[in-house]
PDB file of all heavy atoms in Angstrom:
ATOM      1  N   ARG A  94      -9.450  10.626  14.176  1.00  0.00           N
ATOM      2  CA  ARG A  94      -9.777  10.474  15.596  1.00  0.00           C
ATOM      3  C   ARG A  94     -11.170   9.889  15.768  1.00  0.00           C
ATOM      4  O   ARG A  94     -11.393   8.992  16.577  1.00  0.00           O
ATOM      5  CB  ARG A  94      -9.661  11.808  16.325  1.00  0.00           C
ATOM      6  CG  ARG A  94      -8.246  12.324  16.466  1.00  0.00           C
ATOM      7  CD  ARG A  94      -8.144  13.501  17.421  1.00  0.00           C
ATOM      8  NE  ARG A  94      -9.085  14.572  17.166  1.00  0.00           N
ATOM      9  CZ  ARG A  94      -8.853  15.619  16.364  1.00  0.00           C
ATOM     10  NH1 ARG A  94      -7.708  15.730  15.735  1.00  0.00           N
ATOM     11  NH2 ARG A  94      -9.774  16.554  16.200  1.00  0.00           N
ATOM     12  N   LEU A  95     -12.118  10.381  14.988  1.00  0.00           N
ATOM     13  CA  LEU A  95     -13.489   9.893  15.080  1.00  0.00           C
ATOM     14  C   LEU A  95     -13.576   8.428  14.663  1.00  0.00           C
ATOM     15  O   LEU A  95     -14.234   7.622  15.330  1.00  0.00           O
ATOM     16  CB  LEU A  95     -14.421  10.745  14.213  1.00  0.00           C
ATOM     17  CG  LEU A  95     -15.892  10.327  14.213  1.00  0.00           C
ATOM     18  CD1 LEU A  95     -16.464  10.364  15.625  1.00  0.00           C
ATOM     19  CD2 LEU A  95     -16.687  11.225  13.278  1.00  0.00           C
ATOM     20  N   ALA A  96     -12.903   8.051  13.589  1.00  0.00           N
ATOM     21  CA  ALA A  96     -12.929   6.661  13.130  1.00  0.00           C
ATOM     22  C   ALA A  96     -12.337   5.737  14.192  1.00  0.00           C
ATOM     23  O   ALA A  96     -12.865   4.653  14.448  1.00  0.00           O
ATOM     24  CB  ALA A  96     -12.168   6.519  11.817  1.00  0.00           C
ATOM     25  N   ALA A  97     -11.261   6.177  14.830  1.00  0.00           N
ATOM     26  CA  ALA A  97     -10.639   5.370  15.882  1.00  0.00           C
ATOM     27  C   ALA A  97     -11.582   5.225  17.066  1.00  0.00           C
ATOM     28  O   ALA A  97     -11.734   4.134  17.627  1.00  0.00           O
ATOM     29  CB  ALA A  97      -9.316   5.996  16.318  1.00  0.00           C
ATOM     30  N   LEU A  98     -12.230   6.304  17.447  1.00  0.00           N
ATOM     31  CA  LEU A  98     -13.166   6.277  18.563  1.00  0.00           C
ATOM     32  C   LEU A  98     -14.322   5.326  18.281  1.00  0.00           C
ATOM     33  O   LEU A  98     -14.687   4.494  19.122  1.00  0.00           O
ATOM     34  CB  LEU A  98     -13.689   7.690  18.828  1.00  0.00           C
ATOM     35  CG  LEU A  98     -14.665   7.862  19.970  1.00  0.00           C
ATOM     36  CD1 LEU A  98     -14.015   7.481  21.281  1.00  0.00           C
ATOM     37  CD2 LEU A  98     -15.156   9.299  20.023  1.00  0.00           C
ATOM     38  N   VAL A  99     -14.879   5.409  17.089  1.00  0.00           N
ATOM     39  CA  VAL A  99     -15.991   4.530  16.715  1.00  0.00           C
ATOM     40  C   VAL A  99     -15.533   3.074  16.688  1.00  0.00           C
ATOM     41  O   VAL A  99     -16.218   2.179  17.185  1.00  0.00           O
ATOM     42  CB  VAL A  99     -16.586   4.964  15.359  1.00  0.00           C
ATOM     43  CG1 VAL A  99     -17.558   3.929  14.826  1.00  0.00           C
ATOM     44  CG2 VAL A  99     -17.266   6.327  15.492  1.00  0.00           C
ATOM     45  N   ALA A 100     -14.356   2.837  16.132  1.00  0.00           N
ATOM     46  CA  ALA A 100     -13.840   1.466  16.059  1.00  0.00           C
ATOM     47  C   ALA A 100     -13.638   0.886  17.448  1.00  0.00           C
ATOM     48  O   ALA A 100     -13.997  -0.265  17.706  1.00  0.00           O
ATOM     49  CB  ALA A 100     -12.536   1.441  15.274  1.00  0.00           C
ATOM     50  N   LEU A 101     -13.083   1.673  18.346  1.00  0.00           N
ATOM     51  CA  LEU A 101     -12.880   1.200  19.709  1.00  0.00           C
ATOM     52  C   LEU A 101     -14.205   0.929  20.408  1.00  0.00           C
ATOM     53  O   LEU A 101     -14.358  -0.065  21.118  1.00  0.00           O
ATOM     54  CB  LEU A 101     -12.056   2.211  20.508  1.00  0.00           C
ATOM     55  CG  LEU A 101     -10.577   2.242  20.144  1.00  0.00           C
ATOM     56  CD1 LEU A 101      -9.915   3.472  20.749  1.00  0.00           C
ATOM     57  CD2 LEU A 101      -9.888   0.966  20.597  1.00  0.00           C
ATOM     58  N   ARG A 102     -15.163   1.799  20.202  1.00  0.00           N
ATOM     59  CA  ARG A 102     -16.483   1.609  20.817  1.00  0.00           C
ATOM     60  C   ARG A 102     -17.129   0.324  20.295  1.00  0.00           C
ATOM     61  O   ARG A 102     -17.683  -0.456  21.057  1.00  0.00           O
ATOM     62  CB  ARG A 102     -17.379   2.796  20.527  1.00  0.00           C
ATOM     63  CG  ARG A 102     -18.749   2.670  21.199  1.00  0.00           C
ATOM     64  CD  ARG A 102     -19.748   3.630  20.665  1.00  0.00           C
ATOM     65  NE  ARG A 102     -20.093   3.214  19.306  1.00  0.00           N
ATOM     66  CZ  ARG A 102     -20.529   4.027  18.363  1.00  0.00           C
ATOM     67  NH1 ARG A 102     -20.666   5.299  18.599  1.00  0.00           N
ATOM     68  NH2 ARG A 102     -20.826   3.585  17.169  1.00  0.00           N
ATOM     69  N   GLU A 103     -17.048   0.098  19.004  1.00  0.00           N
ATOM     70  CA  GLU A 103     -17.710  -1.057  18.411  1.00  0.00           C
ATOM     71  C   GLU A 103     -17.043  -2.379  18.760  1.00  0.00           C
ATOM     72  O   GLU A 103     -17.688  -3.417  18.749  1.00  0.00           O
ATOM     73  CB  GLU A 103     -17.801  -0.886  16.898  1.00  0.00           C
ATOM     74  CG  GLU A 103     -18.779   0.200  16.518  1.00  0.00           C
ATOM     75  CD  GLU A 103     -18.925   0.381  15.032  1.00  0.00           C
ATOM     76  OE1 GLU A 103     -18.317  -0.386  14.262  1.00  0.00           O
ATOM     77  OE2 GLU A 103     -19.656   1.299  14.642  1.00  0.00           O
ATOM     78  N   ARG A 104     -15.762  -2.332  19.090  1.00  0.00           N
ATOM     79  CA  ARG A 104     -15.056  -3.563  19.445  1.00  0.00           C
ATOM     80  C   ARG A 104     -15.546  -4.112  20.782  1.00  0.00           C
ATOM     81  O   ARG A 104     -15.522  -5.305  21.014  1.00  0.00           O
ATOM     82  CB  ARG A 104     -13.556  -3.320  19.495  1.00  0.00           C
ATOM     83  CG  ARG A 104     -12.964  -3.049  18.130  1.00  0.00           C
ATOM     84  CD  ARG A 104     -11.497  -2.761  18.254  1.00  0.00           C
ATOM     85  NE  ARG A 104     -10.758  -3.960  18.580  1.00  0.00           N
ATOM     86  CZ  ARG A 104     -10.193  -4.754  17.678  1.00  0.00           C
ATOM     87  NH1 ARG A 104     -10.304  -4.473  16.408  1.00  0.00           N
ATOM     88  NH2 ARG A 104      -9.536  -5.819  18.060  1.00  0.00           N
ATOM     89  N   ARG A 105     -15.957  -3.238  21.685  1.00  0.00           N
ATOM     90  CA  ARG A 105     -16.482  -3.621  22.989  1.00  0.00           C
ATOM     91  C   ARG A 105     -15.553  -4.553  23.769  1.00  0.00           C
ATOM     92  O   ARG A 105     -16.000  -5.447  24.475  1.00  0.00           O
ATOM     93  CB  ARG A 105     -17.865  -4.250  22.862  1.00  0.00           C
ATOM     94  CG  ARG A 105     -18.880  -3.303  22.287  1.00  0.00           C
ATOM     95  CD  ARG A 105     -20.265  -3.885  22.350  1.00  0.00           C
ATOM     96  NE  ARG A 105     -21.209  -3.066  21.656  1.00  0.00           N
ATOM     97  CZ  ARG A 105     -21.860  -2.038  22.193  1.00  0.00           C
ATOM     98  NH1 ARG A 105     -21.657  -1.713  23.437  1.00  0.00           N
ATOM     99  NH2 ARG A 105     -22.721  -1.347  21.478  1.00  0.00           N
ATOM    100  N   GLU A 106     -14.281  -4.331  23.629  1.00  0.00           N
ATOM    101  CA  GLU A 106     -13.308  -5.104  24.388  1.00  0.00           C
ATOM    102  C   GLU A 106     -13.006  -4.343  25.671  1.00  0.00           C
ATOM    103  O   GLU A 106     -12.686  -3.166  25.625  1.00  0.00           O
ATOM    104  CB  GLU A 106     -12.017  -5.269  23.596  1.00  0.00           C
ATOM    105  CG  GLU A 106     -12.152  -6.127  22.369  1.00  0.00           C
ATOM    106  CD  GLU A 106     -10.852  -6.234  21.604  1.00  0.00           C
ATOM    107  OE1 GLU A 106      -9.779  -6.076  22.210  1.00  0.00           O
ATOM    108  OE2 GLU A 106     -10.926  -6.476  20.402  1.00  0.00           O
ATOM    109  N   PRO A 107     -13.089  -5.000  26.817  1.00  0.00           N
ATOM    110  CA  PRO A 107     -12.826  -4.300  28.076  1.00  0.00           C
ATOM    111  C   PRO A 107     -11.468  -3.598  28.091  1.00  0.00           C
ATOM    112  O   PRO A 107     -11.364  -2.467  28.554  1.00  0.00           O
ATOM    113  CB  PRO A 107     -12.883  -5.411  29.123  1.00  0.00           C
ATOM    114  CG  PRO A 107     -13.746  -6.462  28.512  1.00  0.00           C
ATOM    115  CD  PRO A 107     -13.484  -6.383  27.026  1.00  0.00           C
ATOM    116  N   GLU A 108     -10.436  -4.259  27.581  1.00  0.00           N
ATOM    117  CA  GLU A 108      -9.114  -3.636  27.577  1.00  0.00           C
ATOM    118  C   GLU A 108      -9.104  -2.381  26.710  1.00  0.00           C
ATOM    119  O   GLU A 108      -8.563  -1.345  27.092  1.00  0.00           O
ATOM    120  CB  GLU A 108      -8.051  -4.608  27.065  1.00  0.00           C
ATOM    121  CG  GLU A 108      -6.675  -3.984  27.044  1.00  0.00           C
ATOM    122  CD  GLU A 108      -5.624  -4.913  26.461  1.00  0.00           C
ATOM    123  OE1 GLU A 108      -5.870  -6.113  26.337  1.00  0.00           O
ATOM    124  OE2 GLU A 108      -4.552  -4.392  26.130  1.00  0.00           O
ATOM    125  N   ALA A 109      -9.731  -2.455  25.540  1.00  0.00           N
ATOM    126  CA  ALA A 109      -9.762  -1.294  24.650  1.00  0.00           C
ATOM    127  C   ALA A 109     -10.528  -0.149  25.291  1.00  0.00           C
ATOM    128  O   ALA A 109     -10.102   1.008  25.218  1.00  0.00           O
ATOM    129  CB  ALA A 109     -10.393  -1.670  23.308  1.00  0.00           C
ATOM    130  N   LEU A 110     -11.644  -0.453  25.928  1.00  0.00           N
ATOM    131  CA  LEU A 110     -12.440   0.601  26.550  1.00  0.00           C
ATOM    132  C   LEU A 110     -11.692   1.220  27.727  1.00  0.00           C
ATOM    133  O   LEU A 110     -11.727   2.436  27.919  1.00  0.00           O
ATOM    134  CB  LEU A 110     -13.795   0.046  26.991  1.00  0.00           C
ATOM    135  CG  LEU A 110     -14.710  -0.388  25.848  1.00  0.00           C
ATOM    136  CD1 LEU A 110     -15.972  -1.026  26.392  1.00  0.00           C
ATOM    137  CD2 LEU A 110     -15.041   0.772  24.935  1.00  0.00           C
TER     138      LEU A 110
END
Side-chain angles (χ1 to χ4, degrees):
R94 291 191 310 270
L95 180 59
L98 181 62
V99 169
L101 286 167
R102 182 194 70 206
E103 290 181 4
R104 291 178 72 93
R105 298 188 187 273
E106 292 179 25
E108 180 183 345
L110 294 175

